[in-house]
Amino acid sequence: MSLWKRVSSHSDCEQRMAAFYEEKGLLDLRLCLAPWIEDRIMSEQITPNSPEQLERVALKFNEDLQQKLLSTRTATDQALKFRVVELCALIQRTSAVELYTNLRTGLQKELQLVTEKSVASTAGQSMPLSSYNMNNTPMVTGYMDAGDLLAVSNSCNPSVVQGVHNVQHSGGIASPALGMATPKVELYEVQHQIMQSLNEFGNCANALKLLVQNYSYMLSSTASPNADVAYRNLIDEKAAIVIAMRRSFMYYESLYEMVMHEMNEWCHQQRQAGNGAPFNEGSLEDIQRCFEILETFIAHMMAAVKETMRVRLTNEEPELTQLLDQVQNARKHLVCSAFIVDKQPPQVMKTNTRFAASVRWLLGSQLGLHNNPPTVECIIMSENQAQRFSARNHQIDSSVAGQTSGEIQNCSSTMEYQQNNHVFSASFRNMQLKKIKRAEKKGTESVMDEKFSLLFYTTTTVSDFQMRVWTLSLPVVVIVHGNQEPQSWATITWDNAFAERVRDPFIITDRVTWAQLSVALNIKFASCTGRSLTMDNLDFLYEKLQREERSEYITWNQFCKEPLPDRSFTFWEWFFAIMKLTKDHMLGMWKAGCIMGFINKAKAQDDLLRSVCGIGTFLLRFSDSELGGVSIAYVNENGHVTMLVPWTARDFQVLSLADRIRDLDVLCWLHPSDRNSSPVKRDAAFGEFYSKRQDPVTGYVKSQLHVHVCSNGDNGSTSGTPHHVSQQDAMQLGNGDFGIADFDSMTNFEDYN
């Protein structure tokens, strides 16, 4: 079946590709000459890799295409003749390079779509499920025939195959008896497709084995009258094998792109996890399995190409030499791509503070590297240095150690192989950044905006070739003092949330939509506090970020550089302080929904006045004017709303929020944070968070800190102030009678109208 027929068997694929060709004006041409275009492009002996070569190949293709169309004009179908004339006119109007490039790109897209559909259609079938059923396969030194490949594909444990049926019949959840978690089904499908392509390559291997036998027979036989015929047959057989190998290589490239897509997706999720998003680290086991099968595929292909080159029928064979180079480069990229950071270092890194990280080589055991494990080195690099290394495309030299931007202690580790889970990794458990070299700052840049990265690198030998591999960590910001932490986390949070899956280090957009930012803020806040933000919360944050000119986009400057209107701090400083206060002092109450938090004064007042319970109804809101402050708004005895001066972390170190609420008898009903709920009695809402009263030591009279609201006059405004209250009602302790606390240094809780 031709490639286009396979595409047409799936309506969604056909529509996508038809739209692609229609946009280029090539749909009629693709439909009219579908089999010929596929055979002509996919069987090319030389893949163009320079502008000059591309032009030559495109011109030759253009000539052959015109000849094919002219031969079609002899058909008796008048409609077809008219169509051919139109196609000839199209070719005349389109440049040869553009025509060829568009058709070749289209075939690659078709191939990928068909591969994905083929993968999806095999979901749930018996397939190699064990992530490591080929780990005992010896390194390839020759090519494999179909029987060898079939043996590999059938080498899975029967209990593992049964596990697949368990997954199929339980909706994707493996039986607990198997003792394993069920990874993403899509990765199993990709694994199966790679195995299928590997098995199909066995047909090529069988043909190659026959070619070698016939070639050996020809060399050893004496002159015969059929020698010329046998020689031409060998040339034809070899040409067919080369075409088959090129097609297999195209399939390999498509499969490699699919696996790298999964790898990039895993790295993207790892980056999102830096902001607190859920992360399924276990899927890396299945990605490793895909890498291992791909390595088997490309290794056997490389061996087959070398074996084909030994069948010397002509003096020069540039197409085979080029194919060998492509296969070798593909294997090198596969090996390098499998070297990753599986445990990231802390992204806000303080000097002279210990930290850990680890790297993993997904092909370590497959390549036999665990028999002579290499040592991995680590240095810290600036953003500019990281960009230069990425531009080298896996090229690294021995001078890399001298290009560090700082000094790291305990920066080397030997890779270790864990037999039980087939993990080949190097752990850095006790690193410490001693010094850092910073770049010159421009404009308003600060040290908290400057990104660095840890570069992990090593050198080893793979198949008699020395290889240097490296990988970069996620960006890190280096600080020397705790007060630099908030702005540093702004840099990291923005980068983790909005970085492209594949990018140059560490290019990031300077503006995003509110829809994007709201997701990032919600993930960050929920991970720190255990409860997500509501739509009302997010609407409040959106309003807080807006300026005079409203826009759906939020810029980096609005996020963390420009002070909020009439304030001395930025949005991020305000948001970060609230996260820290909630996590450190109000975590249980926030999780329980006792704190409304994100609501402005006007709306708080309006909601309280509309409350069905009236006097004594209260809510807790985060302060707009005080960093890391929380305020209580309540309906007083006059039916007006009173707002207490915000409390901060310093206040809660003396007396907890719940105990302060218990002390204030003016607070009776908690206004619900959920608009669909009803008010709750104060003690029912906060009772579980009250501190237990301690019995006094024998011989002493106990004193305790008590908060109450005082009247400030006839206007109904009040102020809250802490007092010590004895258990004996007649005893009053002044500030001077209680020596362990200096109440003159405490903030009085004056009211805001």
Side-chain angles (χ1 to χ4, degrees):
M1 183 185 294
S2 72
L3 180 59
W4 182 253
K5 284 185 178 180
R6 294 170 68 184
V7 170
S8 302
S9 64
H10 305 283
S11 59
D12 55 336
C13 295
E14 184 179 21
Q15 290 174 5
R16 287 177 61 181
M17 291 313 305
F20 170 82
Y21 288 119
E22 187 66 40
E23 181 183 357
K24 311 295 182 183
L26 299 176
L27 180 59
D28 285 343
L29 181 63
R30 181 69 182 98
L31 295 175
C32 184
L33 297 178
W36 183 89
I37 291 174
E38 294 164 19
D39 290 340
R40 177 62 178 74
I41 293 180
M42 296 177 71
S43 63
E44 283 170 345
Q45 300 295 313
I46 296 178
T47 301
N49 53 18
S50 68
E52 295 78 13
Q53 197 173 56
L54 174 62
E55 186 174 5
R56 288 196 300 271
V57 171
L59 288 172
K60 182 67 172 69
F61 174 82
N62 195 281
E63 292 175 5
D64 294 347
L65 178 60
Q66 292 188 53
Q67 289 296 324
K68 176 64 178 176
L69 287 172
L70 290 174
S71 65
T72 310
R73 291 180 65 181
T74 59
T76 57
D77 189 337
Q78 294 298 322
L80 178 59
K81 284 185 178 182
F82 181 74
R83 196 175 182 187
V84 168
V85 171
E86 289 184 327
L87 292 175
C88 288
L90 169 67
I91 294 174
Q92 297 296 327
R93 296 193 304 268
T94 310
S95 74
V97 172
E98 180 184 355
L99 179 70
Y100 173 80
T101 302
N102 287 334
L103 287 173
R104 185 179 180 85
T105 301
L107 289 183
Q108 291 173 337
K109 290 179 179 291
E110 290 177 36
L111 189 60
Q112 186 166 358
L113 285 175
V114 167
T115 302
E116 291 172 354
K117 285 296 181 181
S118 179
V119 164
S121 67
T122 58
Q125 297 178 12
S126 297
M127 59 188 76
L129 182 62
S130 170
S131 295
Y132 304 101
N133 59 44
M134 286 175 57
N135 275 348
N136 296 325
T137 303
M139 285 294 298
V140 179
T141 54
Y143 61 90
M144 298 170 70
D145 60 20
D148 298 327
L149 292 170
L150 186 60
V152 170
S153 66
N154 291 333
S155 63
C156 17
N157 189 305
S159 64
V160 172
V161 175
Q162 180 61 39
V164 177
H165 295 290
N166 291 339
V167 172
Q168 178 183 358
H169 293 104
S170 62
I173 302 177
S175 169
L178 294 175
M180 64 175 127
T182 304
K184 291 169 59 179
V185 174
E186 292 85 347
L187 282 169
Y188 287 142
E189 296 164 358
V190 174
Q191 290 176 17
H192 181 71
Q193 180 62 20
I194 299 172
M195 286 301 305
Q196 195 174 51
S197 299
L198 184 58
N199 290 335
E200 290 174 358
F201 183 70
N203 297 328
C204 179
N206 283 336
L208 178 57
K209 180 179 283 190
L210 183 60
L211 174 68
V212 171
Q213 291 174 353
N214 292 338
Y215 179 66
S216 300
Y217 176 78
M218 186 188 74
L219 292 178
S220 60
S221 64
T222 58
S224 68
N226 296 325
D228 288 343
V229 175
Y231 179 74
R232 285 194 295 271
N233 288 339
L234 284 177
I235 291 178
D236 292 341
E237 291 173 16
K238 184 176 180 179
I241 289 173
V242 172
I243 291 173
M245 286 193 296
R246 283 201 167 278
R247 288 185 175 179
S248 293
F249 184 65
M250 287 186 70
Y251 274 106
Y252 166 84
E253 288 182 312
S254 178
L255 293 166
Y256 172 77
E257 288 180 5
M258 292 174 64
V259 174
M260 286 308 301
H261 173 79
E262 294 296 331
M263 185 74 257
N264 291 334
E265 184 62 28
W266 186 90
C267 292
H268 174 71
Q269 291 178 11
Q270 185 189 51
R271 182 164 54 238
Q272 294 289 316
N275 283 353
F279 179 36
N280 178 22
E281 297 183 64
S283 62
L284 189 60
E285 310 301 325
D286 301 281
I287 295 174
Q288 174 168 322
R289 172 63 177 152
C290 291
F291 268 92
E292 290 171 346
I293 310 174
L294 274 182
E295 201 285 326
T296 299
F297 191 176
I298 197 66
H300 287 92
M301 192 179 301
M302 185 167 68
V305 174
K306 290 180 178 179
E307 189 72 14
T308 306
M309 294 180 73
R310 295 190 184 101
V311 180
R312 302 286 300 197
L313 299 176
T314 58
N315 292 331
E316 295 184 1
E317 296 179 311
E319 68 282 357
L320 268 178
T321 303
Q322 185 188 43
L323 179 58
L324 180 61
D325 289 342
Q326 290 175 331
V327 172
Q328 287 176 334
N329 286 333
R331 192 185 189 201
K332 176 184 174 182
H333 281 92
L334 179 70
V335 172
C336 292
S337 300
F339 189 65
I340 63 167
V341 180
D342 64 328
K343 303 293 183 185
Q344 293 287 340
Q347 289 190 266
V348 173
M349 187 179 296
K350 192 176 180 181
T351 54
N352 298 307
T353 303
R354 290 187 178 91
F355 65 92
S358 71
V359 294
R360 180 169 169 181
W361 209 338
L362 303 181
L363 287 174
S365 58
Q366 179 83 359
L367 298 172
L369 301 179
H370 58 291
N371 297 321
N372 185 23
T375 297
V376 180
E377 305 287 339
C378 175
I379 63 173
I380 189 166
M381 309 190 80
S382 68
E383 183 173 350
N384 288 336
Q385 289 173 321
Q387 288 176 358
R388 288 196 293 271
F389 265 83
S390 294
R392 293 183 181 183
N393 196 21
H394 295 297
Q395 298 299 318
I396 189 172
D397 54 39
S398 57
S399 65
V400 62
Q403 301 180 42
T404 180
S405 288
E407 178 187 336
I408 300 179
Q409 288 185 347
N410 306 317
C411 59
S412 65
S413 176
T414 301
M415 300 198 77
E416 299 175 351
Y417 180 59
Q418 301 173 31
Q419 183 71 38
N420 61 326
N421 57 10
H422 301 271
V423 171
F424 189 56
S425 62
S427 297
F428 297 79
R429 300 181 179 88
N430 198 28
M431 287 196 287
Q432 190 173 157
L433 180 62
K434 303 298 292 184
K435 296 179 182 178
I436 192 68
K437 300 175 185 176
R438 298 191 184 274
E440 292 185 9
K441 302 297 177 291
K442 301 176 182 178
T444 60
E445 289 180 344
S446 70
V447 296
M448 290 85 80
D449 300 326
E450 187 176 7
K451 300 174 194 173
F452 294 87
S453 180
L454 299 189
L455 175 79
F456 299 90
Y457 65 96
T458 188
T459 303
T460 190
T461 301
V462 178
S463 301
D464 299 327
F465 290 99
Q466 189 180 64
M467 293 187 66
R468 293 188 176 96
V469 297
W470 58 271
T471 187
L472 289 168
S473 73
L474 292 176
V476 301
V477 175
V478 178
I479 62 174
V480 297
H481 195 278
N483 61 14
Q484 296 173 319
E485 189 174 338
Q487 179 59 32
S488 300
W489 276 116
T491 300
I492 293 303
T493 300
W494 187 276
D495 192 279
N496 285 345
F498 309 124
E500 297 289 340
R501 282 167 172 75
V502 179
R503 61 166 176 173
D504 292 333
F506 290 104
I507 305 300
I508 191 71
T509 181
D510 64 351
R511 71 168 194 165
V512 295
T513 64
W514 166 244
Q516 293 172 295
L517 182 57
S518 64
V519 172
L521 293 176
N522 192 23
I523 288 173
K524 188 71 176 177
F525 202 90
S527 70
C528 287
T529 65
R531 189 187 115 200
S532 298
L533 301 174
T534 65
M535 288 304 300
D536 288 341
N537 296 157
L538 293 171
D539 288 342
F540 171 80
L541 294 176
Y542 174 71
E543 294 298 327
K544 202 168 191 67
L545 276 163
Q546 289 301 314
R547 299 296 187 264
E548 292 181 2
E549 296 182 3
R550 300 176 68 86
S551 171
E552 66 170 312
Y553 287 96
I554 307 297
T555 67
W556 164 251
N557 287 338
Q558 285 174 265
F559 177 67
C560 68
K561 289 295 185 180
E562 299 171 353
L564 291 169
D566 303 321
R567 300 286 181 248
S568 61
F569 46 81
T570 67
F571 169 84
W572 174 257
E573 288 171 334
W574 174 82
F575 186 79
F576 185 87
I578 286 174
M579 279 197 302
K580 183 170 177 57
L581 179 75
T582 304
K583 180 180 179 181
D584 293 346
H585 299 285
M586 306 184 302
L587 193 61
M589 289 173 280
W590 170 259
K591 286 183 179 179
C594 298
I595 300 173
M596 182 169 291
F598 297 100
I599 183 173
N600 60 40
K601 280 186 179 181
K603 190 173 189 311
Q605 180 169 328
D606 185 62
D607 286 358
L608 288 173
L609 293 177
R610 293 172 182 270
S611 175
V612 295
C613 293
I615 295 174
T617 305
F618 71 100
L619 59 80
L620 288 86
R621 56 177 292 272
F622 298 127
S623 172
D624 290 317
S625 59
E626 185 85 17
L627 277 180
V630 62
S631 174
I632 293 180
Y634 70 96
V635 181
N636 61 30
E637 65 276 11
N638 299 319
H640 301 137
V641 174
T642 297
M643 297 194 182
L644 297 182
V645 170
W647 291 316
T648 64
R650 182 181 177 186
D651 300 308
F652 297 144
Q653 289 170 357
V654 178
L655 188 66
S656 73
L657 174 61
D659 289 344
R660 290 168 183 266
I661 292 173
R662 175 175 56 183
D663 289 343
L664 297 176
D665 293 333
V666 294
L667 308 181
C668 302
W669 295 90
L670 175 66
H671 187 73
S673 56
D674 183 354
R675 65 181 69 180
N676 296 320
S677 301
S678 301
V680 182
K681 286 187 176 181
R682 179 193 66 180
D683 292 341
F686 292 93
E688 62 178 301
F689 307 110
Y690 295 158
S691 298
K692 293 183 179 179
R693 302 295 191 186
Q694 300 292 329
D695 294 331
V697 179
T698 303
Y700 290 91
V701 175
K702 184 183 176 184
S703 62
Q704 64 189 29
L705 190 65
H706 182 82
V707 174
H708 74 119
V709 177
C710 304
S711 175
N712 275 348
D714 297 334
N715 59 3
S717 64
T718 58
S719 64
T721 183
H723 283 268
H724 280 95
V725 179
S726 168
Q727 285 185 322
Q728 299 177 7
D729 293 339
M731 182 170 233
Q732 296 290 333
L733 296 179
N735 290 349
D737 296 309
F738 193 63
I740 65 169
D742 179 11
F743 292 108
D744 292 332
S745 65
M746 290 186 178
T747 303
N748 285 337
F749 306 112
E750 296 178 356
D751 298 338
Y752 285 170
N753 291 325

